[in-house]
Amino acid sequence: MLPGQTSFRTGGFDWLNFDIGNSPQGFQLDTFYNSYIPEFWSSSTAQQIPESGGPNSGDTGNGVQHKMGIGESSRDSQDEGQPDMEQNTLAWPFDQAHKQSPRRYQLPPLRDILNGYCPTDRPRPVQTTLVKGFIQILSENPLPQLETLREPHSIQAFCSLQRLVDSYFSRFHDIQAIIHKPTWTMSACPPILLTAMASVGALLSDSQSDYELSVALSEICSTMINWMGASDATNYSDVSYLNALCLYQIYSLGSGKRQLYQNADRSRGLLIGGLRGIGLLNPRSSITLSQDHETIRGSEDDLVLANDWKNWIKMESGRRAAWAAFEYDCSLCTLTSRRGIVDLSELPSELPCPESMWNATSARAWFALMSRLGQDDSRPNLSKVLKQALAGRELPSSLGSWAKRLCAQVIGRLLWDLWQIEVVAMPEYLGLGSIVAAHQDTKRSLLKGLNNLVESLSLPSSTSDLTSYNIASLLCHYSHLCAANGVLDLILSIVRGLISTEPRVHEGIKVARKRLKLTFSRDPKTARRLCWHAAQIVAIANEYLVSAPCEIMRVFMGYIFIIAYSAYGDHSRPSPMEVTQSVRLDLHDQNLSHRRVVVKWIEVGGPASSGSVPDIGTDGCVPAISTDAQEILKKLQCWGLAHKFTKVFQVLETKGL
């Protein structure tokens, strides 16, 4: 790069942490990215438990509890003569004169906290009664049985909760099968996990009234999560609590609300820290990689076998919780362009077991399936599968679809790390251009590994398989776009300039447009290949769109790239002898003849269609492509993130790119 030139290579764009107006005009990027209002428990609700033997111990026996008043400072409750700084410093561990036990505070009961809950969006009167019923039943642990309920609103809430949990299983469970459905019962499920499941189930429901309930349930869930974590730190060692935390953060990620996103971003450390604390995320060494597992032996005693199955479910559930958290971490990494906090070296050495084992309905069926699969196939090793994928070898037929998708996520994380290194190596940062050249072969190998994983998923036989195929395919095609040495950064810089009102941003749009056009014209074959990858994202979304935040963003980026290629690509026509027909880019290339047509188009160019646009190379296509994108996003309006992206397309429809 020459001195004085503008650089458009960035670490990406945080799509979650920006707000735009309600109309196509006046879109603004909020500059206060990191601003938030911390939420504290009201000081009037904190109860201090006097220490035994203290001056107030007699009052404790009489049932008198001393509350710290609103205007009473913590200094007043300390012994006289203590320096002010002591309350802000940690105790020196060898100082025997210092008090050994800190003051303990007891939070009010959960029911009292929830009864004081004030919804952000005021629900309708009917919904208000239902929310009160949710509070009544969800503040009890375990969940009360239906036959024990007497109040009508509690009975209605119980039935609604059951319906929303069913919606979770039908709409979201196949995306991340962290719940062992064959042995799951609503009565035995912790209320916090039920609340998180119901929040997601209500969000994905087709009913508008359920969507309104999802907002109230998510706020109840947030309160319960905070209360449980603050009242008993051992909850962070409970896999059910961590699963609830993960589901709630996924809900927050796609909500489109900055406050919820920031809450999820801040509490991600609690989720990952909890998994690390119980050893589900743990740095591996060469010793732990090669250690042998104890073989489970069959038994004629049904009780013994049932106990083995129960222990296995507990172990596998923990492993799946860790993998679900990693996948959530990858989503947040992609959506915010910030590095994930889960290190690849601390991932479980084993992938989730095959779906047939996880879905076994009895201990006998489980053991029979495990015996037939054998040690290696029933406990797929992450490193072995990755090596097979990168070498282009055929993967085991028994390997589960989620396991393959997770391998794709690992490769995607590696590509993301290389991308970040390349950004830092740019002249305006470290000026280490040799790093970019050194990584080219590695990037090609990783992209080929992604292609192999997607190919192994290309014949789905169930909804779960189809879900994993679509997510892995979107990840694969999006990774090809990201690996194109800054082309996506150029496009994003133009989009950011169009939705921003800052003059400084607008000044760079003309430069970015010229550079993008020059980039496309220098290597038209690569530009057409990338356009095909973007169109394949659209094809996947048209076939079966997975309703998840990260997948929404990838569909958005696919359409943005098609718009950019339509506006700035090299559309010069080859000689008439070389082109026989227009190419439909947004179709799967499973048909060999169609694949040949696509390959020829990439080589020589020519007319190409996508969606309702017969030829994306003609002038004035941007509004039509933007309209197609908005039609797809309408299917995902339950996620607030889709609403944000729709507004961006409205700007492009008006202003062009």
Side-chain angles (χ1 to χ4, degrees):
M1 179 182 296
L2 297 176
Q5 280 190 325
T6 305
S7 171
F8 296 96
R9 287 305 299 270
T10 67
F13 184 53
D14 186 348
W15 287 110
L16 297 179
N17 209 7
F18 82 102
D19 285 329
I20 50 184
N22 295 323
S23 61
Q25 290 77 26
F27 285 75
Q28 294 185 358
L29 285 170
D30 196 326
T31 56
F32 300 101
Y33 282 173
N34 298 317
S35 64
Y36 67 92
I37 301 175
E39 299 174 356
F40 300 98
W41 293 109
S42 172
S43 58
S44 61
T45 61
Q47 297 176 345
Q48 179 179 343
I49 302 178
E51 298 177 8
S52 60
N56 296 325
S57 59
D59 294 337
T60 305
N62 296 327
V64 179
Q65 292 180 317
H66 292 266
K67 295 184 179 180
M68 185 180 294
I70 296 177
E72 184 179 355
S73 67
S74 58
R75 181 184 302 179
D76 297 333
S77 63
Q78 294 187 1
D79 296 336
E80 291 185 5
Q82 281 188 326
D84 293 346
M85 67 180 67
E86 186 170 352
Q87 56 183 302
N88 295 323
T89 58
L90 295 175
W92 175 245
F94 305 108
D95 184 3
Q96 299 298 324
H98 195 91
K99 292 184 178 180
Q100 296 301 310
S101 58
R103 283 184 171 82
R104 295 168 56 236
Y105 294 88
Q106 178 181 342
L107 293 175
L110 178 60
R111 185 187 298 275
D112 293 350
I113 296 290
L114 292 177
N115 281 329
Y117 149 77
C118 181
T120 303
D121 300 324
R122 184 175 296 277
R124 292 178 286 111
V126 177
Q127 300 286 58
T128 302
T129 304
L130 188 56
V131 170
K132 289 182 179 178
F134 281 129
I135 291 174
Q136 291 297 315
I137 63 175
L138 292 173
S139 57
E140 296 186 25
N141 191 11
L143 192 76
Q145 298 295 316
L146 179 60
E147 55 270 16
T148 64
L149 300 176
R150 295 292 178 264
E151 298 182 7
H153 61 272
S154 296
I155 296 174
Q156 182 188 7
F158 188 96
C159 296
S160 295
L161 183 67
Q162 198 166 29
R163 178 176 55 81
L164 295 177
V165 169
D166 289 341
S167 174
Y168 166 85
F169 278 116
S170 62
R171 301 292 181 94
F172 190 83
H173 176 73
D174 286 334
I175 298 178
Q176 285 184 333
I178 57 177
I179 307 295
H180 191 248
K181 199 173 179 180
T183 58
W184 183 89
T185 59
M186 187 166 164
S187 59
C189 185
I192 181 60
L193 182 54
L194 278 175
T195 310
M197 293 166 66
S199 299
V200 176
L203 178 72
L204 300 179
S205 172
D206 296 327
S207 170
Q208 177 61 30
S209 60
D210 284 347
Y211 175 77
E212 295 173 4
L213 277 180
S214 73
V215 177
L217 281 169
S218 70
E219 293 178 353
I220 292 173
C221 185
S222 174
T223 303
M224 293 175 69
I225 286 173
N226 292 334
W227 183 88
M228 291 179 66
S231 62
D232 186 359
T234 60
N235 284 316
Y236 293 113
S237 302
D238 183 359
V239 173
S240 294
Y241 176 81
L242 296 175
N243 277 335
L245 188 55
C246 185
L247 287 175
Y248 172 72
Q249 291 183 12
I250 291 172
Y251 171 92
S252 301
L253 205 63
S255 65
K257 299 179 180 179
R258 173 178 295 183
Q259 183 180 359
L260 289 184
Y261 150 64
Q262 289 180 334
N263 287 341
D265 195 18
R266 289 192 294 268
S267 58
R268 177 174 48 160
L270 298 176
L271 170 63
I272 304 305
L275 292 167
R276 286 170 177 160
I278 56 180
L280 293 175
L281 290 175
N282 190 28
R284 302 196 304 273
S285 64
S286 57
I287 297 176
T288 57
L289 276 172
S290 59
Q291 66 182 3
D292 294 328
H293 296 277
E294 182 181 354
T295 303
I296 299 177
R297 302 182 182 278
S299 173
E300 296 297 328
D301 190 338
D302 288 340
L303 292 177
V304 173
L305 192 59
N307 187 61
D308 289 341
W309 187 38
K310 181 180 178 181
N311 292 334
W312 176 85
I313 292 171
K314 182 178 180 181
M315 180 182 64
E316 179 69 16
S317 296
R319 183 181 299 120
R320 286 174 175 250
W323 279 115
F326 166 69
E327 199 162 29
Y328 161 73
D329 190 47
C330 289
S331 296
L332 194 57
C333 169
T334 302
L335 285 164
T336 63
S337 298
R338 299 195 192 106
R339 196 183 191 285
I341 63 175
V342 177
D343 195 84
L344 295 181
S345 66
E346 62 182 347
L347 290 174
S349 59
E350 294 179 7
L351 291 159
C353 70
E355 275 79 356
S356 59
M357 282 182 62
W358 185 242
N359 295 327
T361 56
S362 68
R364 285 288 173 191
W366 159 75
F367 182 75
L369 288 167
M370 183 175 60
S371 301
R372 287 177 176 272
L373 287 169
Q375 181 83 358
D376 292 337
D377 289 344
S378 63
R379 290 172 168 171
N381 182 273
L382 172 64
S383 299
K384 290 182 180 179
V385 175
L386 283 174
K387 289 176 182 177
Q388 289 173 325
L390 292 172
R393 295 198 296 269
E394 185 178 355
L395 300 179
S397 59
S398 60
L399 189 64
S401 57
W402 190 24
K404 295 177 183 178
R405 185 178 96 211
L406 288 169
C407 289
Q409 296 281 15
V410 172
I411 294 178
R413 173 65 69 84
L414 287 170
L415 284 167
W416 195 93
D417 288 343
L418 292 178
W419 175 44
Q420 288 295 298
I421 292 174
E422 289 178 0
V423 170
V424 177
M426 289 294 102
E428 64 274 16
Y429 289 101
L430 300 180
L432 299 175
S434 58
I435 291 181
V436 179
H439 286 159
Q440 294 306 310
D441 289 341
T442 302
K443 285 165 62 176
R444 278 191 287 268
S445 297
L446 292 174
L447 289 171
K448 285 182 180 178
L450 268 181
N451 293 339
N452 293 334
L453 285 166
V454 171
E455 186 66 26
S456 70
L457 287 163
S458 60
L459 296 175
S461 59
S462 65
T463 305
S464 177
D465 292 347
L466 182 62
T467 298
S468 289
Y469 166 71
N470 281 27
I471 293 177
S473 297
L474 291 175
L475 169 63
C476 177
H477 293 295
Y478 178 71
S479 296
H480 278 274
L481 296 180
C482 290
N485 293 332
V487 175
L488 213 54
D489 286 335
L490 274 173
I491 298 171
L492 287 180
S493 66
I494 299 172
V495 174
R496 290 173 63 183
L498 291 172
I499 63 177
S500 174
T501 57
E502 298 180 16
R504 176 178 56 84
V505 179
H506 282 284
E507 292 173 359
I509 292 181
K510 291 183 180 180
V511 179
R513 284 170 172 164
K514 289 181 180 179
R515 193 171 298 175
L516 180 61
K517 190 171 184 177
L518 180 62
T519 301
F520 281 153
S521 63
R522 279 178 177 171
D523 192 352
K525 288 184 181 180
T526 298
R528 288 190 289 267
R529 179 178 58 81
L530 294 176
C531 184
W532 173 80
H533 280 294
Q536 286 300 291
I537 292 177
V538 175
I540 294 164
N542 281 326
E543 180 188 49
Y544 180 76
L545 182 55
V546 177
S547 185
C550 201
E551 281 54 61
I552 297 172
M553 190 277 292
R554 288 180 176 129
V555 171
F556 167 80
M557 293 303 300
Y559 270 110
I560 287 293
F561 194 96
I562 295 173
I563 289 174
Y565 178 79
S566 174
Y568 301 105
D570 182 6
H571 304 298
S572 57
R573 305 298 185 190
S575 62
M577 297 295 294
E578 294 180 344
V579 180
T580 57
Q581 60 182 344
S582 176
V583 181
R584 184 70 183 267
L585 297 180
D586 57 340
L587 290 178
H588 286 297
D589 62 343
Q590 296 172 351
N591 185 287
L592 184 59
S593 60
H594 180 69
R595 186 175 299 183
R596 289 172 178 167
V597 173
V598 170
V599 170
K600 186 174 182 181
W601 176 80
I602 292 174
E603 287 294 323
V604 301
S609 64
S610 176
S612 63
V613 181
D615 186 359
I616 61 175
T618 57
D619 295 334
C621 293
V622 172
I625 300 173
S626 298
T627 302
D628 289 345
Q630 292 174 59
E631 287 300 317
I632 281 191
L633 292 177
K634 280 182 181 178
K635 303 175 184 177
L636 300 168
Q637 284 300 309
C638 59
W639 296 100
L641 192 60
H643 187 57
K644 276 189 176 183
F645 290 144
T646 298
K647 291 181 179 180
V648 175
F649 282 121
Q650 289 172 357
V651 174
L652 299 182
E653 190 175 354
T654 305
K655 298 182 178 181
L657 188 69

